[in-house]
Amino acid sequence: MTSQSPERGRVYRRCGCRRPDGRQFGASCPRLQDGSRHGSWAFAVDLPSADGKRHPLCRSGFTTRKAAETALERALESERTGPDCSEDLPLATYLAEWLRLKAKVLKPTTFARYRDHVHADLIPSFGRLPLTDLRARHITAWSEAELARGRGRTAVYRIGATFSSALSHAVRTRVIAANPCRYVLLPRPVAPERICWNPTQAAAFLRHNHAHYGDQMADLFELLLGTGMRRGESLGLHWTDVHLAERILLVRWSLTAVNNNHLYLGHPKTKASRNWVSLAPRAVTALERQAALARAGQPKGTPLEGLSSAAPTDLRCARKGCWSSCGGAPPSSACRGSGCTTCGTPPPPS
């Protein structure tokens, strides 16, 4: 019993009964002709292809002819409008594939956070739900349940933002038509007001560190307060990017920890951060102290290399240095043309 769609495709009944040779009868089972409710309804439609070969889309398991016809119409409508998603694609499968793609473009720290959100929260909560069945009410109910059991608003917002990013990717790739997270996410939590130290407080903090500790952290704090660099940028500072005679340094790297376990050396957070920074006298003195400590363990005349902080010095990065196309010349004498850098770092100040 087969009916042809007025546009494309066909609707028919089939079953899983097998012939003596073990093959399924499919739509030719004799029991399908006796008027019983044996088997189930299915549809099949050929999708357009670039190679000229047949690419049929088949779905079965529908209890009525009407359900199969509705599914066929939905498949044809999805083909016309763009979204292309299997109705039985679980969210767990989609999120795992999205993570695999994101691993190629995200920084390790960001990817680790996305991975934790997906595996610890999103898949346990939504993984069994088909992607096409996800609705805004599901996300709202999840947010309310998380807050009711004492979860922080910031944590719930960040997990929801990760979910929204994944669903936005599904919209861009025409897997679904709209993002159910778009209008139901919790408002972004307001960051608490940060109170900055005044010069007297900063000086008291530095004096305390030098008087009671006198270690490399004291000099690192001098650098942070004297330049405004981020913590990762200070820890990722290389001696080859420090020019004490000119009282400048180049912010080119950032050292971060992934899951508080693995160190990652990458570029600064923003392009504007990758720039030259002038050094105040106190910052120069702190770096000179660290340089003296570093030279004490090296043969005389050996140029300083590696990280300038107390971080491990065995880290290496596969990317070439900014000034490699100038033969490794220091920024003060390097050509100032736009082709001198390989990472877009602006030329040093005059």
Side-chain angles (χ1 to χ4, degrees):
M1 185 181 297
T2 304
S3 65
Q4 195 74 19
S5 168
E7 297 185 54
R8 285 166 48 211
R10 62 191 181 97
V11 176
Y12 59 94
R13 287 181 67 185
R14 70 179 309 277
C15 71
C17 297
R18 296 184 180 274
R19 297 186 175 95
D21 60 2
R23 298 175 61 189
Q24 287 190 358
F25 278 105
S28 62
C29 178
R31 295 182 59 189
L32 295 174
Q33 310 299 326
D34 60 9
S36 67
R37 304 186 66 177
H38 180 67
S40 61
W41 287 90
F43 77 82
V45 60
D46 287 339
L47 300 179
S49 63
D51 56 10
K53 299 180 180 179
R54 291 188 63 218
H55 290 271
L57 172 65
C58 304
R59 294 289 184 270
S60 61
F62 303 100
T63 56
T64 64
R65 178 201 294 243
K66 181 63 176 177
E69 290 175 346
T70 301
L72 173 59
E73 292 172 1
R74 188 182 298 115
L76 294 172
E77 179 65 20
S78 295
E79 182 191 335
R80 285 191 295 267
T81 58
D84 181 18
C85 178
S86 172
E87 292 185 4
D88 56 357
L89 175 64
L91 263 165
T93 303
Y94 171 75
L95 289 172
E97 176 63 16
W98 175 73
L99 267 184
R100 186 187 68 82
L101 297 175
K102 282 296 181 179
K104 303 176 182 178
V105 297
L106 292 177
K107 290 185 177 181
T109 48
T110 305
F111 176 75
R113 185 173 69 250
Y114 279 18
R115 182 188 57 208
D116 292 344
H117 291 167
V118 167
H119 290 294
D121 294 281
L122 297 179
I123 287 181
S125 300
F126 303 99
R128 295 183 179 180
L129 189 68
L131 178 57
T132 53
D133 290 348
L134 181 66
R135 297 293 183 267
R137 65 176 182 275
H138 299 134
I139 300 160
T140 300
W142 171 82
S143 299
E144 292 175 349
E146 291 295 301
L147 293 174
R149 70 184 185 92
R151 200 79 179 269
R153 293 185 66 87
T154 300
V156 174
Y157 169 79
R158 289 176 177 172
I159 297 167
T162 300
F163 201 12
S164 182
S165 177
L167 296 175
S168 294
H169 175 79
V171 174
R172 288 193 299 271
T173 55
R174 310 302 291 168
V175 175
I176 56 177
N179 182 353
C181 272
R182 183 172 181 182
Y183 299 109
V184 296
L185 277 182
L186 292 177
R188 181 189 291 270
V190 178
E193 182 181 0
R194 293 178 173 85
I195 301 176
C196 297
W197 286 342
N198 58 40
T200 301
Q201 292 170 320
F205 172 79
L206 293 175
R207 283 196 300 269
H208 177 82
N209 275 279
H210 281 290
H212 293 80
Y213 303 104
D215 58 2
Q216 290 175 308
M217 295 300 293
D219 289 332
L220 180 63
F221 293 145
E222 289 274 8
L223 185 64
L224 287 169
L225 288 171
T227 61
M229 296 168 64
R230 297 183 178 91
R231 179 181 58 185
E233 294 167 355
S234 298
L235 294 174
L237 182 64
H238 286 62
W239 283 119
T240 53
D241 296 326
V242 177
H243 307 279
L244 296 176
E246 294 90 345
R247 292 189 174 184
I248 58 174
L249 60 81
L250 174 62
V251 178
R252 190 157 61 105
W253 302 106
S254 180
L255 184 66
T256 54
V258 182
N259 291 334
N260 293 324
N261 189 16
H262 302 289
L263 294 179
Y264 169 71
L265 188 63
H267 288 305
K269 187 174 182 180
T270 64
K271 290 184 178 179
S273 300
R274 195 183 309 171
N275 215 324
W276 296 93
V277 176
S278 298
L279 296 175
R282 289 185 66 118
V284 172
T285 302
L287 287 171
E288 287 176 342
R289 281 195 295 265
Q290 290 301 304
L293 291 174
R295 289 193 179 96
Q298 296 182 356
K300 188 175 182 180
T302 303
L304 289 178
E305 294 181 349
L307 300 177
S308 64
S309 67
T313 58
D314 58 347
L315 291 173
R316 294 292 182 269
C317 183
R319 301 189 181 222
K320 294 182 179 179
C322 286
W323 297 91
S324 59
S325 58
C326 284
S332 58
S333 60
C335 169
R336 300 178 184 275
S338 59
C340 288
T341 63
T342 59
C343 68
T345 304
S350 301

